[in-house]
Amino acid sequence: MTGEVLAGLALGLLLVAPPFLPPYFLEILISVMLFGYLGAAWNILGGYAGQFSFGHAAYFGIGAYTSTLLFLRLGVSPWLGMLAGGVLAAAFGLAAGYLSFRYGLRGPYFSLVTLAFAEMLRVIAVNTKAVGSSLGLVIPNREPAPVNFVFAGKLSYYYVILAMAVGAVWITRRVARSKLGYSLLAIRENEDAAEASGVDALGMKLRAMAISSFLTALGGTFYAQYFAYIDPTITFGPSVSIQGLLQAIVGGAGTVLGPVVGAFVLTPNPGHLVPAPGHPGLAATPPMNLLEVDAVTKRFGGLTAVSRFSLTVGAGEIVGLIGPNGAGKTTVFHLLSGFYAPSAGAIRFKGVSVVGAKPHAICRRGLARTFQIVQPFVNLSALENVMVGAFNRTGDVKAARQRALEVLDFVGLGARRDVLARELTLSDRKRLEMARGLATRPELLLLDEVMSGLNPTEIEEIIGLIRRIHAQGVSLLIIEHVMRAIMALSQRIVVLHHGEKIAEGRPAEVARDPTVVEAYLGEEA
């Protein structure tokens, strides 16, 4: 069976199967298609021309921000904004390419220039209020309207990115079989010999740069519309560049289908593409409340840390709890988990009051937590740490060990199970604490700043882990200062300020609330 027949059969399966897949697997397919698309865009420059760009996130970000700003400021359809972003990215790509290629930058020198360009754009965006600064931009809730790139569910977004991926493969195939493609391959193998054979190396590389930049920017627009939220770290960060590059290299750089094959092999973590808060119909209404907090107050002498605070967390829900430092967020967690008793008010878990209950008793009822400053058992191994949590549900050592091994594999620490906790990195300690909580088999897990102190790649990995935890039926209440994570993960956000709740609602609504902007979000703007 020829490769073209196999490719046709695979495409047919990708067209027919998705409507029958669960939402989580559809989300994975969207992630695969997007990163396969980005790999194909990178492949034209890196695979065929041999010019390894480490900064393609620059063009991804240009596409995302251009289309989003045109829509938010001028009401321009994202479909037109997508083309505008592509043209602008191609112009920037030509400029960056000319300055590099004209002066003979090749190999690692060209790679470093592209990386620096993306980082420069990220820093500019972080410090520019007109584009949302470090907090980024939220695309507000809208009624489904295909003309505005808004669809009622994930399936339509999947078919859009599938069409884009197929288009990128078709363009790659056309390039590969053209004079441009043969010229680029010659340049990749030996640029001097190519020049001696009549190939205009500068001109050909600039054409590849323009095509690659244009296509990458279109991917940025898709990301912005699917996510309904962008910020500089997401769009200009190195993870986008590296993902696109890896798909092409793993699948076969310089081949037509290589990047798509690489995307399936690597299967990018769906945490990179979590459901966007701005999409209508994606957040399910919880059938019941697991946790009910009613007018809780906590005083320490003359200081009121939390005042008449109320909150609910439904079964299957992810709720974000945000606020400035000192707002009372961790105090709330201490109240919910039994480390503090409230001065007034009621706390019910699964309909039963837990006021006055000890932390271990609350844990046994199905509520587990992590700590803002990680608290592993430093002289125990990772496996032993998690076994302590597993004993919450069993007294049998063998059963506890088996549960701990399963959880360690789930959070990505299986290979480090025998390492002492004190020897783990901060990222691994965060995972370990989450694993210890998961080993108790919670129905509700409280996560207290599990992303603080982590780099962007580690944050993306934790976002993916949280999504996998939620997919297993665990409800989550999350305290976090990493706004892109909270905006992406939460179905509902509650805002604390000076111990009082000042706002509550869907992420896009909270981000636009003037009280929130003044009290919290505005501090970083």
Side-chain angles (χ1 to χ4, degrees):
M1 191 175 292
T2 67
E4 289 188 355
V5 172
L6 284 174
L9 290 174
L11 179 59
L13 185 62
L14 290 171
L15 285 168
V16 173
F20 306 100
L21 294 176
Y24 179 72
F25 291 103
L26 186 59
E27 190 174 309
I28 291 176
L29 269 183
I30 292 172
S31 183
V32 169
M33 286 296 108
L34 175 57
F35 284 105
Y37 171 84
L38 293 177
W42 181 91
N43 191 40
I44 292 172
L45 179 68
Y48 283 88
Q51 309 302 308
F52 272 53
S53 169
F54 286 174
H56 256 45
Y59 313 113
F60 184 86
I62 289 171
Y65 270 89
T66 299
S67 58
T68 301
L69 287 168
L70 286 174
F71 175 75
L72 294 179
R73 305 288 189 262
L74 302 176
V76 175
S77 167
W79 295 105
L80 294 176
M82 173 183 276
L83 295 177
V87 171
L88 185 61
F92 272 96
L94 285 171
Y98 181 81
L99 292 175
S100 299
F101 302 143
R102 177 68 178 80
Y103 295 101
L105 293 181
R106 303 179 186 179
Y109 301 104
F110 173 73
S111 300
L112 288 174
V113 167
T114 60
L115 182 63
F117 180 52
E119 179 62 12
M120 179 187 72
L121 292 182
R122 187 192 69 80
V123 171
I124 291 172
V126 165
N127 292 282
T128 305
K129 286 190 175 182
V131 298
S133 301
S134 61
L135 295 172
L137 297 169
V138 175
I139 299 176
N141 295 333
R142 298 164 287 162
E143 292 298 319
V147 70
N148 282 333
F149 217 124
V150 182
F151 306 103
K154 296 179 184 179
L155 187 61
S156 297
Y157 288 95
Y158 166 76
Y159 282 120
V160 169
I161 192 58
L162 175 63
M164 290 174 63
V166 171
V169 169
W170 180 80
I171 290 171
T172 303
R173 188 170 183 269
R174 290 294 301 271
V175 167
R177 298 185 177 186
S178 70
K179 175 183 176 181
L180 173 60
Y182 286 105
S183 298
L184 293 177
L185 290 174
I187 291 167
R188 184 188 70 184
E189 297 303 311
N190 190 318
E191 188 167 331
D192 292 336
E195 283 275 358
S197 302
V199 174
D200 176 7
L202 174 61
M204 293 299 179
K205 287 191 290 186
L206 287 179
R207 290 183 194 180
M209 190 76 172
I211 296 170
S212 184
S213 303
F214 179 87
L215 292 176
T216 301
L218 303 192
T221 295
F222 175 85
Y223 186 96
Q225 294 302 313
Y226 179 76
F227 226 136
Y229 171 73
I230 55 172
D231 75 15
T233 303
I234 293 174
T235 54
F236 292 115
S239 62
V240 170
S241 300
I242 299 303
Q243 283 288 347
L245 178 153
L246 284 177
Q247 318 312 316
I249 291 178
V250 170
T255 62
V256 173
L257 290 174
V260 177
V261 172
F264 275 99
V265 171
L266 295 176
T267 312
N269 193 312
H272 290 285
L273 277 174
V274 295
H279 290 168
L282 295 188
T285 302
M288 60 167 286
N289 287 327
L290 273 179
L291 178 70
E292 296 172 300
V293 181
D294 186 15
V296 162
T297 296
K298 179 60 181 176
R299 302 186 186 91
F300 298 96
L303 173 67
T304 300
V306 175
S307 178
R308 297 189 60 78
F309 176 75
S310 296
L311 168 75
T312 61
V313 178
E317 194 174 20
I318 301 179
V319 178
L321 180 60
I322 69 171
N325 290 326
K329 304 183 298 297
T330 297
T331 299
V332 168
F333 269 26
H334 286 334
L335 290 165
L336 301 181
S337 55
F339 287 89
Y340 292 161
S343 304
I347 303 174
R348 292 179 294 275
F349 183 62
K350 295 193 291 187
V352 177
S353 174
V354 292
V355 172
K358 297 295 184 182
H360 70 270
I362 293 175
C363 182
R364 286 176 183 169
R365 290 191 60 82
L367 188 155
R369 66 165 296 182
T370 66
F371 292 87
Q372 182 179 7
I373 299 174
V374 289
Q375 297 187 23
F377 308 123
V378 293
N379 292 313
L380 300 183
S381 69
L383 177 60
E384 291 165 336
N385 265 265
V386 181
M387 284 179 67
V388 171
F391 282 124
N392 183 62
R393 297 291 182 181
T394 180
D396 182 73
V397 173
K398 185 178 180 180
R401 177 183 173 85
Q402 182 59 37
R403 171 63 179 167
L405 289 171
E406 292 171 358
V407 174
L408 284 170
D409 285 338
F410 179 78
V411 303
L413 288 178
R416 312 211 70 192
R417 64 187 187 184
D418 296 321
V419 177
L420 294 181
R422 68 168 179 257
E423 298 174 1
L424 295 174
T425 65
L426 176 61
S427 176
D428 284 348
R429 289 190 184 194
K430 300 267 189 181
R431 290 173 179 269
L432 179 62
E433 191 150 274
M434 295 170 74
R436 194 172 65 201
L438 285 173
T440 69
R441 298 187 185 274
E443 294 179 61
L444 174 62
L445 181 60
L446 313 182
L447 300 179
D448 195 348
E449 296 193 31
V450 293
M451 300 177 214
S452 66
L454 304 185
N455 63 43
T457 299
E458 292 168 338
I459 288 172
E460 293 294 338
E461 292 171 351
I462 293 294
I463 290 174
L465 175 56
I466 291 173
R467 293 299 303 168
R468 295 198 301 275
I469 292 170
H470 182 244
Q472 291 202 337
V474 180
S475 301
L476 295 144
L477 178 60
I478 305 173
I479 294 174
E480 194 53 69
H481 283 292
V482 180
M483 286 305 301
R484 63 191 177 94
I486 280 289
M487 295 293 293
L489 289 168
S490 304
Q491 295 165 345
R492 183 162 49 90
I493 290 179
V494 175
V495 187
L496 263 179
H497 188 50
H498 296 313
E500 297 181 350
K501 182 167 70 174
I502 61 171
E504 179 176 1
R506 290 170 61 85
E509 297 165 355
V510 168
R512 296 194 304 269
D513 189 311
T515 306
V516 176
V517 172
E518 181 180 355
Y520 178 53
L521 299 181
E523 292 186 356
E524 298 184 20

